[in-house]
Amino acid sequence: MTGTRTIYVPRDAAARALGADAVAATLANNPDVTLVRNGSRGMIWLEPLVEVQDGDGPRMAYGPATAADIPAILDGTSDKALGPTDDLPSMKRQTRLTFQRVGVIDPLCLRDYEAHGGLVGLRRALAMSGTEIVTEVTDSGLRGRGGAGFPTGIKWNTVAGAEATQKYIICNADEGDSGTFADRMLMEGDPFTLIEGMIIAGLAVGATRGYVYLRSEYPDAIEAMQEAVEIARTSGLLGDVLGSGRLFDMEIRIGAGAYVCGEETSLLNSLEGKRGVVRAKPPLPALEGFLGKPTVVNNVISLATVPVILEKGAAHYRDFGLGRSRGTIPLQIAGNVRQGGLFETAFGLTLGEIVEDIAGGTATGRPVKAVQVGGPLGAYFPLSKFDTPFGYEEFDGQGGLIGHAGVVVFDETADMLGMARFAMEFCAVESCGKCTPCRIGAVRGVETIDRIGRGDAAAIPLLTDLCETMKDGSLCALGGFTPFPVMSALTHFPDDFAKAKEAAE
Amino acid sequence: MHSAQAPADLSAQVAAICAAHLGREGPMLPILHDVQHAFGHVPEAALPVIALALNVTTAEVHGVVSFYHDFRDAPAGRHVVKICRAEACQAMGANDLADAAKARLGVDWHGTTTDGSVTLEPVYCLGLCACGPAALVDGVVVGRVDKARLDAILEEAGA
């Protein structure tokens, strides 16, 4: 063999959950190869996806690999061979901007990061004024990827315009929505991108301190981010930023298992050390946020997209997309699917293309019944709505939301009354208790759905009415959006709510 | 303060944890995480010590501790098995899996087996939604957990 041989075995939590550590262990003491624990390429159905690279040659993919496959992979006779990774159909169809380095580089090697375009955006930003950076981000059309879809540049502009002794950049990494894992994959696979994005945000608005509020359910992401921040600090990326005289430092803070802390105001309370109770708005966090100071609160993906916008320019990013949804979106394809994982692409694919084509239908082989888009607060879409294009306004127009772009597929065995009940139960468990429609409404919702389940059709209008109250009267999206899954299940799958009645009769 | 008089060594240990975090903005959660890490739970006797350090009332500390699912008021079993209950895992049979776990362990959610070997907890999403049902066993992620895999996990945990 000529030159060096590098073997990539992902350290991504999904790959580890499928046995990547056992695969890596067989290579750890092999003197003939250099082992790199990269992020995941996103094709979770192929994980653990092992890549072999000789010298500067193409990376050859093998998967799903087990420890037993390694000898054959090393001598080139493995039946798990998939060809060059970059030529895999799923890779070729993607437009990877935010995730351009995830799965490619060693996540904790700053040199590798720079060799793949890292810090280009930050170096450009350091030569710009804050206003120019804000304008660039505004012009890119980037909207909050956490779910609300608020234009990132406009939020930054508010914070930039506020007068204060201290401002903050807070990254919302409390990715609690079922079916979403883009934040996790990015933090585990390319943590410096998030750090770079936060520094650029700090330069843009005049903030010198940042926090990542990271959920405790992500032990692997916590480890990666903490290590990355340490490396960034010792190598002069954090602190005096690249020796520019501009200051920015940041810290990783761990959540404590409360879903509602993904809501920005309850996240701020939690970060301050209080109960994670929602705050009424106004005041906006942009003006009175963390410790009462002007604060940018952005999702991981929003912040991690900023470096590529600065690297390639606002126009490059804006040219992708559909309508008012500009750029790319990392779709997370999950649940009962043949090919689950992360697929970054321009906005605009239809839901049907995503489910049938990219996800390849269900894992069980049974017909698709429903698709929940946007997490536990997102609507269940029936087959009849599969022509809906993936975009903020387009999904809103169909009574749904794209949220954090999780797409969870259910086959025909799904019991939609059960799913509606679960939505209410989840809301009851996770409600912060601040507002009555959510705190009490969710409990009554479970009871009312149980009545319907026992065959009491008179409870159906009651449930509809309750959902209206929760939607209109709740302080935040938890109580306000729980009606989406409940009402969509009731509206599109009425048979599941009538079956129980027939059984009772 | 009557009921929760802290033993001196606990007091000292908690006070030391508090002191390590006092310079931070919003030190409460980092302190609670460290206390739980040190004792396996947040002992009631630790609350007044934390309250004193942060200059808040014990009731406020109690309010914070009780708000978050992660903080325990009693130690867990020797192994903690968390099974994801969220939608994506449900689409792959998480409900049946959870029922099997409960039946085998003879506990409901949050319960600990009588021999103290396993605590069973629900978790709402581990971000392993493309390889469900998912579980977290003593902090280690496990994907595509079927009943056989679950049995092996519980077997190893001594339940």
Side-chain angles (χ1 to χ4, degrees):
Chain A
M1 156 195 348
T2 55
T4 53
R5 173 171 259 207
T6 310
I7 314 272
Y8 295 86
V9 182
R11 55 173 286 162
D12 180 276
R16 298 176 89 161
L18 297 172
D21 285 349
V23 174
T26 65
L27 294 160
N29 298 316
N30 186 331
D32 298 331
V33 304
T34 305
L35 174 66
V36 172
R37 301 301 303 269
N38 56 335
S40 168
R41 297 277 191 158
M43 297 171 286
I44 305 298
W45 76 97
L46 294 178
E47 292 291 358
L49 181 81
V50 173
E51 292 173 90
V52 179
Q53 183 181 32
D54 287 315
D56 291 333
R59 283 161 70 155
M60 306 299 288
Y62 299 84
T66 63
D69 291 323
I70 289 299
I73 288 174
L74 290 178
D75 65 25
T77 59
S78 173
D79 58 356
K80 300 279 178 77
L82 302 164
T85 314
D86 290 335
D87 291 348
L88 291 173
S90 172
M91 292 305 295
K92 284 175 93 167
R93 293 181 62 186
Q94 295 188 55
T95 303
R96 288 212 160 194
L97 297 179
T98 311
F99 280 76
Q100 58 179 335
R101 283 176 293 266
V102 175
V104 177
I105 63 166
D106 177 345
L108 294 171
C109 175
L110 199 49
R111 199 181 309 149
D112 214 2
Y113 178 70
E114 281 198 74
H116 288 83
L119 302 186
V120 174
L122 174 61
R123 290 210 165 89
R124 186 169 163 236
L126 279 168
M128 295 163 79
S129 71
T131 314
E132 285 169 341
I133 301 172
V134 172
T135 305
E136 188 86 15
V137 172
T138 308
D139 288 349
S140 74
L142 178 66
R143 293 167 70 178
R145 295 284 187 256
F150 188 81
T152 306
I154 294 182
K155 187 184 276 184
W156 286 18
N157 194 46
T158 308
V159 179
E163 292 288 334
T165 50
Q166 178 70 57
K167 299 179 189 176
Y168 295 98
I169 307 297
I170 289 177
C171 172
N172 183 345
D174 197 40
E175 183 179 53
D177 288 352
S178 165
T180 66
F181 43 84
D183 296 356
R184 179 185 66 65
M185 278 187 57
L186 188 115
M187 291 186 288
E188 292 171 8
D190 191 13
F192 292 123
T193 296
L194 176 57
I195 295 172
E196 184 181 347
M198 289 179 71
I199 299 171
I200 295 172
L203 296 173
V205 306
T208 55
R209 285 201 64 77
Y211 290 96
V212 178
Y213 186 91
L214 216 173
R215 61 200 301 261
S216 62
E217 293 88 342
Y218 282 179
D220 300 88
I222 292 168
E223 201 186 305
M225 282 309 304
Q226 281 174 336
E227 254 185 84
V229 166
E230 272 310 308
I231 293 167
R233 210 172 274 148
T234 53
S235 48
L237 180 56
L238 289 169
D240 177 1
V241 179
L242 299 176
S244 64
R246 312 282 294 276
L247 302 180
F248 190 84
D249 207 344
M250 59 185 279
E251 212 182 285
I252 308 301
R253 286 290 175 90
I254 313 305
Y259 172 78
V260 76
C261 289
E263 197 282 332
E264 63 174 357
T265 61
S266 82
L267 182 153
L268 292 169
N269 275 335
S270 182
L271 204 57
E272 289 178 10
K274 300 172 184 156
R275 293 164 67 87
V277 171
V278 172
R279 297 177 185 172
K281 289 192 271 196
L284 293 172
L287 297 172
E288 289 180 41
F290 183 55
L291 302 172
K293 302 292 188 189
T295 304
V296 169
V297 185
N298 278 153
N299 170 255
V300 173
I301 301 302
S302 311
L303 287 163
T305 301
V306 167
V308 73
I309 290 171
L310 270 290
E311 177 196 346
K312 298 191 169 159
H316 180 84
Y317 191 76
R318 189 183 54 219
D319 284 349
F320 295 98
L322 163 83
R324 290 179 53 215
S325 306
R326 307 314 311 169
T328 59
I329 181 82
L331 297 170
Q332 298 129 82
I333 297 162
N336 194 333
V337 285
R338 222 158 56 77
Q339 301 185 343
L342 184 132
F343 190 95
E344 182 175 355
T345 184
F347 283 98
L349 287 180
T350 67
L351 184 57
E353 285 174 292
I354 295 167
V355 173
E356 280 150 13
D357 195 7
I358 295 169
T362 61
T364 48
R366 296 172 186 273
V368 174
K369 178 170 184 175
V371 181
Q372 187 179 34
V373 182
L377 308 176
Y380 286 101
F381 278 69
L383 294 175
S384 61
K385 286 182 183 282
F386 267 26
D387 56 353
T388 311
F390 209 87
Y392 293 100
E393 281 68 31
E394 291 72 14
F395 265 66
D396 186 52
Q398 293 298 322
L401 50 105
I402 65 170
H404 193 45
V407 176
V408 178
V409 177
F410 294 81
D411 74 8
E412 62 181 3
T413 61
D415 163 26
M416 300 312 291
L417 179 135
M419 297 318 295
R421 185 188 191 281
F422 178 79
M424 283 292 191
E425 186 192 351
F426 179 70
C427 182
V429 171
E430 297 296 335
S431 176
C432 81
K434 172 98 169 178
C435 70
T436 319
C438 175
R439 183 184 67 243
I440 296 179
V443 178
R444 296 289 169 260
V446 173
E447 294 165 1
T448 310
I449 292 171
D450 282 344
R451 273 176 62 185
I452 297 170
R454 287 193 299 268
D456 181 357
I460 290 179
L462 204 61
L463 179 65
T464 308
D465 190 45
L466 174 68
C467 281
E468 279 301 311
T469 304
M470 289 176 70
K471 212 161 150 182
D472 295 338
S474 297
L475 262 179
C476 84
L478 179 50
F481 287 7
T482 293
F484 277 108
V486 175
M487 288 309 296
S488 59
L490 178 63
T491 309
H492 302 311
F493 306 95
D495 290 357
D496 286 14
F497 290 75
K499 267 185 203 145
K501 185 183 171 210
E502 282 159 19
E505 276 166 358
Chain B
M1 289 293 94
H2 50 95
S3 62
Q5 189 59 50
D9 54 342
L10 184 146
S11 254
Q13 206 177 336
V14 172
I17 289 171
C18 292
H21 291 290
L22 275 184
R24 306 174 82 175
E25 294 173 316
M28 179 79 89
L29 257 59
I31 288 172
L32 292 174
H33 276 302
D34 278 4
V35 169
Q36 173 140 311
H37 186 73
F39 298 95
H41 67 298
V42 180
E44 201 186 340
L47 305 190
V49 184
I50 298 169
L52 185 69
L54 298 183
N55 195 26
V56 295
T57 65
T58 303
E60 277 175 85
V61 182
H62 173 79
V64 174
V65 172
S66 59
F67 182 86
Y68 296 96
H69 300 303
D70 280 3
F71 300 128
R72 307 173 185 285
D73 53 12
R78 289 188 294 282
H79 301 280
V80 178
V81 176
K82 297 187 178 190
I83 296 179
C84 179
R85 286 195 70 197
E87 288 86 345
C89 285
Q90 286 191 43
M92 292 304 285
N95 287 340
D96 289 346
L97 188 73
D99 288 344
K102 290 177 190 172
R104 170 162 173 158
L105 297 174
V107 298
D108 202 347
W109 292 124
H110 308 289
T112 301
T113 52
T114 42
D115 65 356
S117 61
V118 176
T119 298
L120 183 68
E121 300 272 3
V123 61
Y124 297 93
C125 198
L126 295 164
L128 304 173
C129 322
C131 54
L136 192 68
V137 181
D138 294 331
V140 175
V141 287
V142 194
R144 290 195 201 116
V145 186
D146 54 16
K147 280 184 185 152
R149 194 109 193 248
L150 175 77
D151 280 338
I153 290 167
L154 297 180
E155 194 70 43
E156 201 171 319

